[in-house]
Amino acid sequence: MDYRDQQRYLKQSRTRAAWAAFAFLLSAFACLKVEGLRATGATIVFALATAAVAISLGYVPDYLHLTVNPKKRSSWAIRIRWRIMTAALILSLLLASSVRSRVTVFIVIAWLLVITLFAKTWVPHRLVVAFLWAGEFGTVSFLLLRGPLNPLLGVLLLVVAAHLAIVACNARPWGWAAVTIASSWVVLWLALTWHRGAATEYAAFLVWVLISGAATAWLVDRASEQNDKNMAAAVFELKDFTGYSLDRIRVLWEVSNQELANNWEKAAIDSDDREKLAQWYRDNSELYLFAISGYNLEYKRIRSNLNVLEFAQGACLDYGAGNGEIILELARREHPAVYYDVDGVTMRFAQWRAEQRKLAVEFFYRKEDLAASARQRSFDTVFSFDVLEHLPDLAGELDFLSSLLAPGGVFVFDVPAGSTKAHPMHLDHRMDVFMYMEGKGFVDERGLALQLPFKKEEKFVYRKPQEGT
């Protein structure tokens, strides 16, 4: 992956998202000025929902479309609706001004619950988005035409439904934008004609729906285009190295994690048996090749890699380097670069990639050879991601990697907590990493972004003390 290109894209994406959110909020404010809301509760709901869509414009398109998983968007479309329904229920209890309005909200939420459950249980994933949008569009249209729904809140709900549909679509975001915008315009025209609304209201509502749909489609289209570029580059390398067809590569991207989990369960290896553990990882190295490749195309992984690369200084080691994604980028940035992992397909792929790019990278798969190399020249930065949770002796691994660092060097690593259904091979290290590293004299170098309590990052950043301190 070309991380220079990823950096440019993400910077442009933030700029686009800021403009899109600004246009969306400006048009929402114009609608509010034209129509107005007399009830405090309705105003609060309007403000919260508008803010949520503006935030979604800045993040969700990248998150959902930089991926090789075609089912991710339909799964998200269902998950986000549980949250929306929960928020709507809470707000209705707190802000509804009458029993009638509360009952109406309960009925609508119950209907949306039925639609969502049906989509999750019976609808094929490729049709989930269309099914959910049709159900929500029909519900809002009925409330606008025949029910007590305020026109401004009605257009807001149409905007939200269209936004969710465009973001979660698997293809043709501009087509989805055209369908949702045109459908919303027809319903708004009927509603304002039925209720004798003013022409200024209709014009403001039309502009808001147009801006929201077009802004969402624009951001989704840009994210999809970037993902297509990333996938094409990954496929080119994998086809050249393995000789597999595009269809075979896509299948392996989809099934590799599940097959790894199944193989682990079948092997039933004692977590203290180092030799069998090492052999299992060698035997399953090709599956890891594709699991890692797909993972590296995910939005969160791209952002994470870009962030950790900023910690690099001097000579760098990537311990458990997999396909070589990070260490190859460090070599391209002219850091002395060392790769360490089991002797398997992933290591051969990383070596092949280094040769293709004419990058100087040293490769090791035996710890004694790595230690001998470090005695000649210790490392200024040691990275270790998605590996320590696979190894039984966490304290021993931390001691070993710390010993490879030069005084003042930086140690950047993660230790995910325990096994999951998708990753049963992750070991549960019941160890206070902070206390252990600080007991060795290391200084916590995490920035504020990694220290926030709600962050899901599991990254640790420590600086080794200088000699004599």
PDB file of all heavy atoms in Angstrom, residues 292-307:
ATOM      1  N   ILE A 292      -4.392 -10.925   6.778  1.00  0.00           N
ATOM      2  CA  ILE A 292      -3.653  -9.677   7.024  1.00  0.00           C
ATOM      3  C   ILE A 292      -3.842  -8.717   5.865  1.00  0.00           C
ATOM      4  O   ILE A 292      -4.015  -7.506   6.058  1.00  0.00           O
ATOM      5  CB  ILE A 292      -2.161  -9.981   7.253  1.00  0.00           C
ATOM      6  CG1 ILE A 292      -1.961 -10.764   8.543  1.00  0.00           C
ATOM      7  CG2 ILE A 292      -1.344  -8.693   7.292  1.00  0.00           C
ATOM      8  CD1 ILE A 292      -0.561 -11.338   8.704  1.00  0.00           C
ATOM      9  N   SER A 293      -3.801  -9.248   4.637  1.00  0.00           N
ATOM     10  CA  SER A 293      -3.969  -8.394   3.464  1.00  0.00           C
ATOM     11  C   SER A 293      -5.314  -7.681   3.490  1.00  0.00           C
ATOM     12  O   SER A 293      -5.399  -6.468   3.248  1.00  0.00           O
ATOM     13  CB  SER A 293      -3.845  -9.238   2.189  1.00  0.00           C
ATOM     14  OG  SER A 293      -4.157  -8.473   1.046  1.00  0.00           O
ATOM     15  N   GLY A 294      -6.382  -8.432   3.794  1.00  0.00           N
ATOM     16  CA  GLY A 294      -7.701  -7.809   3.879  1.00  0.00           C
ATOM     17  C   GLY A 294      -7.783  -6.808   5.017  1.00  0.00           C
ATOM     18  O   GLY A 294      -8.374  -5.727   4.879  1.00  0.00           O
ATOM     19  N   TYR A 295      -7.168  -7.157   6.153  1.00  0.00           N
ATOM     20  CA  TYR A 295      -7.174  -6.273   7.328  1.00  0.00           C
ATOM     21  C   TYR A 295      -6.480  -4.947   7.018  1.00  0.00           C
ATOM     22  O   TYR A 295      -6.935  -3.877   7.436  1.00  0.00           O
ATOM     23  CB  TYR A 295      -6.486  -7.004   8.471  1.00  0.00           C
ATOM     24  CG  TYR A 295      -6.469  -6.294   9.802  1.00  0.00           C
ATOM     25  CD1 TYR A 295      -7.533  -5.505  10.228  1.00  0.00           C
ATOM     26  CD2 TYR A 295      -5.383  -6.435  10.654  1.00  0.00           C
ATOM     27  CE1 TYR A 295      -7.513  -4.872  11.463  1.00  0.00           C
ATOM     28  CE2 TYR A 295      -5.351  -5.808  11.898  1.00  0.00           C
ATOM     29  CZ  TYR A 295      -6.419  -5.020  12.287  1.00  0.00           C
ATOM     30  OH  TYR A 295      -6.390  -4.395  13.497  1.00  0.00           O
ATOM     31  N   ASN A 296      -5.391  -5.011   6.258  1.00  0.00           N
ATOM     32  CA  ASN A 296      -4.643  -3.793   5.937  1.00  0.00           C
ATOM     33  C   ASN A 296      -5.391  -2.852   5.004  1.00  0.00           C
ATOM     34  O   ASN A 296      -4.976  -1.701   4.830  1.00  0.00           O
ATOM     35  CB  ASN A 296      -3.290  -4.156   5.314  1.00  0.00           C
ATOM     36  CG  ASN A 296      -2.289  -4.623   6.346  1.00  0.00           C
ATOM     37  OD1 ASN A 296      -2.317  -4.201   7.494  1.00  0.00           O
ATOM     38  ND2 ASN A 296      -1.402  -5.523   5.952  1.00  0.00           N
ATOM     39  N   LEU A 297      -6.466  -3.313   4.393  1.00  0.00           N
ATOM     40  CA  LEU A 297      -7.283  -2.459   3.533  1.00  0.00           C
ATOM     41  C   LEU A 297      -8.418  -1.783   4.295  1.00  0.00           C
ATOM     42  O   LEU A 297      -9.141  -0.969   3.733  1.00  0.00           O
ATOM     43  CB  LEU A 297      -7.865  -3.284   2.376  1.00  0.00           C
ATOM     44  CG  LEU A 297      -6.842  -3.818   1.371  1.00  0.00           C
ATOM     45  CD1 LEU A 297      -7.500  -4.810   0.425  1.00  0.00           C
ATOM     46  CD2 LEU A 297      -6.198  -2.686   0.584  1.00  0.00           C
ATOM     47  N   GLU A 298      -8.575  -2.105   5.576  1.00  0.00           N
ATOM     48  CA  GLU A 298      -9.631  -1.517   6.386  1.00  0.00           C
ATOM     49  C   GLU A 298      -9.270  -0.090   6.797  1.00  0.00           C
ATOM     50  O   GLU A 298      -8.116   0.217   7.106  1.00  0.00           O
ATOM     51  CB  GLU A 298      -9.866  -2.350   7.647  1.00  0.00           C
ATOM     52  CG  GLU A 298     -10.397  -3.752   7.388  1.00  0.00           C
ATOM     53  CD  GLU A 298     -11.889  -3.776   7.140  1.00  0.00           C
ATOM     54  OE1 GLU A 298     -12.574  -2.774   7.474  1.00  0.00           O
ATOM     55  OE2 GLU A 298     -12.384  -4.780   6.613  1.00  0.00           O
ATOM     56  N   TYR A 299     -10.286   0.754   6.862  1.00  0.00           N
ATOM     57  CA  TYR A 299     -10.086   2.160   7.235  1.00  0.00           C
ATOM     58  C   TYR A 299      -9.359   2.303   8.573  1.00  0.00           C
ATOM     59  O   TYR A 299      -8.378   3.049   8.688  1.00  0.00           O
ATOM     60  CB  TYR A 299     -11.449   2.854   7.302  1.00  0.00           C
ATOM     61  CG  TYR A 299     -11.434   4.213   7.962  1.00  0.00           C
ATOM     62  CD1 TYR A 299     -10.990   5.332   7.282  1.00  0.00           C
ATOM     63  CD2 TYR A 299     -11.878   4.375   9.275  1.00  0.00           C
ATOM     64  CE1 TYR A 299     -10.988   6.577   7.879  1.00  0.00           C
ATOM     65  CE2 TYR A 299     -11.884   5.610   9.877  1.00  0.00           C
ATOM     66  CZ  TYR A 299     -11.438   6.720   9.176  1.00  0.00           C
ATOM     67  OH  TYR A 299     -11.432   7.943   9.783  1.00  0.00           O
ATOM     68  N   LYS A 300      -9.823   1.567   9.582  1.00  0.00           N
ATOM     69  CA  LYS A 300      -9.219   1.720  10.905  1.00  0.00           C
ATOM     70  C   LYS A 300      -7.753   1.295  10.900  1.00  0.00           C
ATOM     71  O   LYS A 300      -6.917   1.886  11.599  1.00  0.00           O
ATOM     72  CB  LYS A 300     -10.011   0.912  11.943  1.00  0.00           C
ATOM     73  CG  LYS A 300     -11.339   1.535  12.317  1.00  0.00           C
ATOM     74  CD  LYS A 300     -11.983   0.776  13.460  1.00  0.00           C
ATOM     75  CE  LYS A 300     -13.241   1.470  13.947  1.00  0.00           C
ATOM     76  NZ  LYS A 300     -13.875   0.769  15.084  1.00  0.00           N
ATOM     77  N   ARG A 301      -7.431   0.260  10.134  1.00  0.00           N
ATOM     78  CA  ARG A 301      -6.050  -0.203  10.078  1.00  0.00           C
ATOM     79  C   ARG A 301      -5.160   0.812   9.365  1.00  0.00           C
ATOM     80  O   ARG A 301      -4.026   1.061   9.776  1.00  0.00           O
ATOM     81  CB  ARG A 301      -5.988  -1.557   9.364  1.00  0.00           C
ATOM     82  CG  ARG A 301      -4.601  -2.153   9.288  1.00  0.00           C
ATOM     83  CD  ARG A 301      -4.063  -2.482  10.672  1.00  0.00           C
ATOM     84  NE  ARG A 301      -2.872  -3.305  10.600  1.00  0.00           N
ATOM     85  CZ  ARG A 301      -2.248  -3.808  11.648  1.00  0.00           C
ATOM     86  NH1 ARG A 301      -2.708  -3.572  12.858  1.00  0.00           N
ATOM     87  NH2 ARG A 301      -1.176  -4.565  11.500  1.00  0.00           N
ATOM     88  N   ILE A 302      -5.671   1.389   8.275  1.00  0.00           N
ATOM     89  CA  ILE A 302      -4.900   2.405   7.559  1.00  0.00           C
ATOM     90  C   ILE A 302      -4.605   3.585   8.479  1.00  0.00           C
ATOM     91  O   ILE A 302      -3.466   4.059   8.565  1.00  0.00           O
ATOM     92  CB  ILE A 302      -5.664   2.871   6.309  1.00  0.00           C
ATOM     93  CG1 ILE A 302      -5.776   1.722   5.295  1.00  0.00           C
ATOM     94  CG2 ILE A 302      -4.974   4.070   5.661  1.00  0.00           C
ATOM     95  CD1 ILE A 302      -6.725   2.006   4.146  1.00  0.00           C
ATOM     96  N   ARG A 303      -5.632   4.050   9.188  1.00  0.00           N
ATOM     97  CA  ARG A 303      -5.431   5.166  10.112  1.00  0.00           C
ATOM     98  C   ARG A 303      -4.454   4.794  11.218  1.00  0.00           C
ATOM     99  O   ARG A 303      -3.576   5.587  11.595  1.00  0.00           O
ATOM    100  CB  ARG A 303      -6.775   5.587  10.725  1.00  0.00           C
ATOM    101  CG  ARG A 303      -7.736   6.264   9.774  1.00  0.00           C
ATOM    102  CD  ARG A 303      -7.220   7.622   9.313  1.00  0.00           C
ATOM    103  NE  ARG A 303      -6.975   8.508  10.427  1.00  0.00           N
ATOM    104  CZ  ARG A 303      -7.869   9.348  10.922  1.00  0.00           C
ATOM    105  NH1 ARG A 303      -9.090   9.400  10.404  1.00  0.00           N
ATOM    106  NH2 ARG A 303      -7.569  10.138  11.930  1.00  0.00           N
ATOM    107  N   SER A 304      -4.595   3.586  11.754  1.00  0.00           N
ATOM    108  CA  SER A 304      -3.719   3.133  12.827  1.00  0.00           C
ATOM    109  C   SER A 304      -2.273   3.073  12.358  1.00  0.00           C
ATOM    110  O   SER A 304      -1.355   3.533  13.046  1.00  0.00           O
ATOM    111  CB  SER A 304      -4.172   1.773  13.344  1.00  0.00           C
ATOM    112  OG  SER A 304      -3.296   1.289  14.331  1.00  0.00           O
ATOM    113  N   ASN A 305      -2.052   2.484  11.172  1.00  0.00           N
ATOM    114  CA  ASN A 305      -0.686   2.382  10.649  1.00  0.00           C
ATOM    115  C   ASN A 305      -0.069   3.754  10.432  1.00  0.00           C
ATOM    116  O   ASN A 305       1.113   3.980  10.746  1.00  0.00           O
ATOM    117  CB  ASN A 305      -0.679   1.586   9.349  1.00  0.00           C
ATOM    118  CG  ASN A 305      -0.826   0.097   9.576  1.00  0.00           C
ATOM    119  OD1 ASN A 305      -0.748  -0.385  10.696  1.00  0.00           O
ATOM    120  ND2 ASN A 305      -1.052  -0.646   8.511  1.00  0.00           N
ATOM    121  N   LEU A 306      -0.836   4.679   9.878  1.00  0.00           N
ATOM    122  CA  LEU A 306      -0.314   6.029   9.667  1.00  0.00           C
ATOM    123  C   LEU A 306       0.067   6.678  10.995  1.00  0.00           C
ATOM    124  O   LEU A 306       1.079   7.383  11.086  1.00  0.00           O
ATOM    125  CB  LEU A 306      -1.352   6.881   8.935  1.00  0.00           C
ATOM    126  CG  LEU A 306      -1.523   6.594   7.438  1.00  0.00           C
ATOM    127  CD1 LEU A 306      -2.755   7.297   6.899  1.00  0.00           C
ATOM    128  CD2 LEU A 306      -0.275   7.029   6.661  1.00  0.00           C
ATOM    129  N   ASN A 307      -0.738   6.429  12.020  1.00  0.00           N
ATOM    130  CA  ASN A 307      -0.447   7.023  13.332  1.00  0.00           C
ATOM    131  C   ASN A 307       0.816   6.431  13.954  1.00  0.00           C
ATOM    132  O   ASN A 307       1.669   7.168  14.470  1.00  0.00           O
ATOM    133  CB  ASN A 307      -1.634   6.818  14.272  1.00  0.00           C
ATOM    134  CG  ASN A 307      -2.831   7.667  13.897  1.00  0.00           C
ATOM    135  OD1 ASN A 307      -2.689   8.699  13.243  1.00  0.00           O
ATOM    136  ND2 ASN A 307      -4.023   7.245  14.282  1.00  0.00           N
TER     137      ASN A 307
END
